[in-house]
Amino acid sequence: MPIHHPFTHDVVVAGAGPVGLFLACELRLAGVSVVVLEQAADPSSPLKRLPFGMRGLSAPTLEAFDRRDLLNAVEAVQRFNPSTGAAKAASHWAQQPRRPAGHFAGISFFHEDIDTTRWPYRLPSPAGVNLAVDMQALETILAERATALGAEIRRGWGVEGFEQSDDGVAVQTRGERLHGRWLVGCDGGRSLVRKAGGFAFVGTDPEFTGYSVEAELADPDALGPGRTYTATGMYTYARPGVIAMVDFDGGAAHRAQPLTLDHVQAVLRRVSGVEVRLTALKLATTWTDRAFQATEYRRGHVLLAGDAAHIHSPLGGQGLNLGLGDALNLGWKLAAAVRGDAPVGLLDSYGAERRPEGARILDWSRAQVALMRPTPSTRALVTVIRDLIATGDGASYFAEKVWNVALRYDLDADHPLVGRSVPDFAFPDGPSTGERLRDGKALLLDFAPGGPLRSVAQRWGGRMSYAAGQPRDRLGLSAVLVRPDGVVAWLSEIAGDDVGLSQAALRWIGEP
Ligand SMILES: Cc1cc2nc3c(=O)[nH]c(=O)nc-3n(C[C@H](O)[C@H](O)[C@H](O)COP(=O)(O)OP(=O)(O)OC[C@H]3O[C@@H](n4cnc5c(N)ncnc54)[C@H](O)[C@@H]3O)c2cc1C
C-alpha cells in the first residue's frame, strides 16, 4: 500500500552513533537528503571517553577516513598509535624492546616478526594499519562533518516505531511521523528497527559477563598490572583503579542487577583470587560475548548497519570497524537507489558483501573467547598459540586478520586485486588515489592515457571521475575502475580496454 504523504527525507537514519553518523556523511556526499534521529538528548557519556571509550581502528577504516578527508582530524585526537609510535604514547612504545602490533586474546604479536610482502597490493599510504581514538572524539568529528555536509541530526528524537509500504517508511518519533523513502537502523545492539522490522537475529549465547570498572582500591598495588589469567577468569589492571574482567557466569550478571560496589568487589575477588578492597566505585558497566547476526540486512525499504546488524564481544576491538565498513559499503549504493540509477542487484550486494565479513568477525571474537576459558586445556592451548604467534608466519597471519588488510569482496573476477581496497597509487605531480576519492564518486585510473578510456568515462559524466597519469608503481596495470567506497571493481593489464571498462561501469555504476 503506498504511503499518501510527500517524503520528508530520502533516508531516515535511526541512531547517531559512529555508524549512523558516517552513513549520513556518505549519503550527503552523494547528494541525498537525510535526517538522523538519535534517542539520547546528550551525545556525551563517560563510557565514550577514556579509559573506557578507547577504540582501535583498523586498516579499512583508516583508508576510508583518508578517502573522505577525515584522517587528519581523527589522528589529531589519537591517544596512541602502536604502528607509528607517534603522539602521546611515543615515549612508552619507544622504551619497549619490541614494538607490539596488536593482539589475539591478549597474546601480542610484534612488528619485527611481520612479513608485509604477503600483501603485494598494498602501496605506502598515509592511512596506516591501526590507530586508537576515543569514541566521543570520533563521534564529534563525524557529527560535525555530517552537519557541514547538510545532514539534519535531531537529538532526543528516538525512533518509536515505523510502518513500511511499497515505496517508503513512515517513522514515528516524539508523536510525529516522518516519511522517508528508506529507513536505516543504526540504533545499536538492541536495535528497535531490527526488532520492529522483523529481522531474524541468530547466534550464540554468552559464556561470560565482562566488566569495565573504574574504582578506588584500598591498596592499588594489590593487583598485578596488565592482563592476568586465573583459574576463574581473566582481568586487566591499570593503576590506580582501571579494571576490566571477565567472569564465566554464562552472562548471568549482565543487566541483571544494579552494579554495586559490593557486587563488583565480590566478582573481582573471585576472578583475581586476591582479597582486594574497593573503597569507591566511580564507574562500572557490563558486556557479554553474546554473538548474533541478522540473517538479512535489508527487508524492503528498511536496512540495518553496525551493531544493529551484528553484536559480539569487544575482545579484539572489531565492532566499530565492522559497522563503519557497513556504512561505507551501503552509502553510495543507497544513494544510487534513491536517485534511481542503481544497476540491478546493486543494493542487494550490500548484504551479500557485508554479511560474510560480519560472520567472519563474529567467529574471530568467538575464537578469542575460547582462548580465555578458565580451564587447564585452554591454558595449554594458549601456550601453543603463543608459540605460533611468535613465528614470522604466525605474526603475519594474525596481523592480516587484526589489521584486516586482506579484506576482499567476491566480485566474481579472477584477478586477486578485484574486490579489494584500491592500492594508494601515488602520482608524482598530482593528488594521490585516496585524495581523488574524496568527492565520493567512482574513479577511473588510466595509466595508459591517450587511448579511448577518457571518452568512456565521460559518458558516465558526474558519476565517475577520470584521472590519467603514470603512478610511481602501477603494479603492472594499465587501468583500474574504483567504486566510490574505494573497492576495485575492474582492472586491465591491456592498454585501452574500453569494452571491459564499459561492462564494469554498467555493472557497478549503471546506465550512463
Ligand atoms: C568496552 C568496549 C570496547 C570496544 N572496543 C572496540 C574497539 O577497540 N574497536 C572496535 O572496532 N569496536 C569496539 N567496540 C565496539 C564498538 O563500540 C561498537 O561496535 C560501535 O559503537 C557500534 O556503533 P553503532 O553506531 O553501530 O552503535 P552504537 O555506538 O551503539 O550507537 C547506536 C546509537 O543509536 C541510538 N539509539 C538506540 N536506540 C535508538 C532509537 N530507538 N532511536 C534512535 N536512536 C537510538 C543510541 O543512543 C546510540 O547513540 C567496543 C565496545 C565496547 C563495549
Side-chain angles (χ1 to χ4, degrees):
M1 191 179 72
I3 293 174
H4 299 296
H5 284 278
F7 291 110
T8 49
H9 297 87
D10 292 326
V11 182
V12 178
V13 173
V19 175
L21 292 170
F22 190 47
L23 179 63
C25 294
E26 290 298 292
L27 292 167
R28 283 304 305 144
L29 196 59
V32 306
S33 67
V34 53
V35 62
V36 183
L37 301 177
E38 166 56 48
Q39 184 169 264
D42 182 357
S44 64
S45 153
L47 293 173
K48 293 182 189 173
R49 293 192 290 268
L50 298 180
F52 300 126
M54 179 73 82
R55 297 290 182 271
L57 305 181
S58 59
T61 302
L62 296 170
E63 287 168 358
F65 285 172
D66 180 39
R67 292 166 185 166
R68 296 298 186 253
D69 200 16
L70 287 161
L71 188 61
N72 287 343
V74 171
E75 281 182 340
V77 297
Q78 76 179 55
R79 291 300 186 267
F80 69 78
N81 183 342
S83 67
T84 65
K88 208 174 180 183
S91 56
H92 170 68
W93 294 116
Q95 286 159 17
Q96 304 292 315
R98 308 179 75 209
R99 287 183 307 141
H103 73 88
F104 182 72
I107 309 167
S108 295
F109 52 92
F110 296 90
H111 280 283
E112 291 76 6
D113 297 329
I114 297 166
D115 175 11
T116 56
T117 62
R118 285 165 62 115
W119 312 302
Y121 295 109
R122 289 184 59 78
L123 294 172
S125 144
V129 289
N130 58 8
L131 180 75
V133 295
D134 77 274
M135 177 93 153
Q136 187 144 314
L138 180 63
E139 283 191 2
T140 303
I141 291 167
L142 293 174
E144 283 173 5
R145 171 63 64 86
T147 307
L149 286 167
E152 185 186 348
I153 302 171
R154 296 191 191 176
R155 298 192 185 275
W157 289 66
V159 171
E160 292 150 7
F162 61 86
E163 278 172 43
Q164 187 173 180
S165 67
D166 290 343
D167 60 352
V169 187
V171 178
Q172 206 169 312
T173 172
R174 294 221 309 207
E176 284 187 28
R177 286 182 144 228
L178 298 183
H179 297 275
R181 290 178 201 280
W182 298 89
L183 168 65
V184 189
C186 301
D187 49 344
R190 285 178 280 170
S191 171
L192 177 143
V193 173
R194 185 186 70 231
K195 291 172 191 163
F199 289 84
F201 203 44
V202 300
T204 47
D205 289 325
E207 295 187 38
F208 64 66
T209 301
Y211 294 76
S212 297
V213 175
E214 193 173 7
E216 284 174 13
L217 279 68
D219 176 6
D221 293 321
L223 297 172
R227 186 180 291 245
T228 305
Y229 288 93
T230 67
T232 45
M234 183 282 294
Y235 69 93
T236 64
Y237 175 59
R239 285 185 97 258
V242 177
I243 300 155
M245 56 183 170
V246 299
D247 183 21
F248 277 79
D249 65 348
H254 180 57
R255 298 200 183 111
Q257 62 217 42
L259 281 176
T260 61
L261 183 147
D262 286 345
H263 173 77
V264 171
Q265 178 175 277
V267 175
L268 182 56
R269 286 179 176 179
R270 185 169 64 247
V271 168
S272 67
V274 180
E275 283 300 294
V276 281
R277 192 163 67 81
L278 304 188
T279 53
L281 187 63
K282 295 179 176 171
L283 200 60
T285 185
T286 60
W287 33 274
T288 74
D289 58 318
R290 193 167 178 260
F292 275 63
Q293 186 181 25
T295 56
E296 52 192 345
Y297 282 12
R298 177 168 83 90
R299 299 195 77 200
H301 282 242
V302 182
L303 295 121
L304 301 176
D307 279 14
H310 37 69
I311 55 164
H312 58 86
S313 88
L315 302 172
Q318 303 273 0
L320 172 60
N321 292 290
L322 186 58
L324 293 171
D326 293 345
L328 182 72
N329 191 289
L330 175 60
W332 65 283
K333 296 174 180 175
L334 188 54
V338 168
R339 286 192 309 259
D341 54 29
V344 175
L346 184 68
L347 200 51
D348 288 334
S349 75
Y350 163 59
E353 292 175 2
R354 294 305 297 174
R355 282 202 67 256
E357 175 64 358
R360 185 184 75 76
I361 295 293
L362 259 62
D363 270 351
W364 189 251
S365 75
R366 288 186 184 112
Q368 294 182 78
V369 173
L371 277 182
M372 298 174 80
R373 287 183 192 129
T375 65
S377 50
T378 301
R379 298 327 315 148
L381 188 56
V382 166
T383 306
V384 175
I385 299 289
R386 212 178 275 287
D387 285 347
L388 292 175
I389 214 169
T391 65
D393 280 350
S396 305
Y397 171 85
F398 283 96
E400 181 171 302
K401 305 288 181 198
V402 171
W403 296 347
N404 207 1
V405 287
L407 172 63
R408 184 179 183 222
Y409 299 132
D410 182 4
L411 303 193
D412 198 20
D414 293 334
H415 196 288
L417 182 52
V418 176
R420 286 188 203 276
S421 175
V422 64
D424 199 20
F425 295 105
F427 298 87
D429 34 47
S432 68
T433 302
E435 289 165 335
R436 289 179 199 269
L437 282 163
R438 287 180 183 174
D439 60 7
K441 292 179 186 169
L443 170 66
L444 175 63
L445 297 168
D446 185 355
F447 302 150
L453 300 194
R454 179 188 291 271
S455 60
V456 176
Q458 277 167 351
R459 294 211 335 253
W460 271 268
R463 279 182 277 146
M464 190 196 297
S465 310
Y466 171 82
Q470 278 293 332
R472 289 198 185 91
D473 185 350
R474 62 184 179 91
L475 299 173
L477 305 174
S478 62
V480 183
L481 178 64
V482 190
R483 306 192 319 195
D485 57 357
V487 170
V488 174
W490 167 86
L491 54 76
S492 180
E493 291 155 306
I494 309 157
D497 179 10
D498 57 337
V499 176
L501 171 60
S502 296
Q503 287 168 348
L506 276 172
R507 178 174 174 198
W508 289 107
I509 308 169
E511 298 285 339

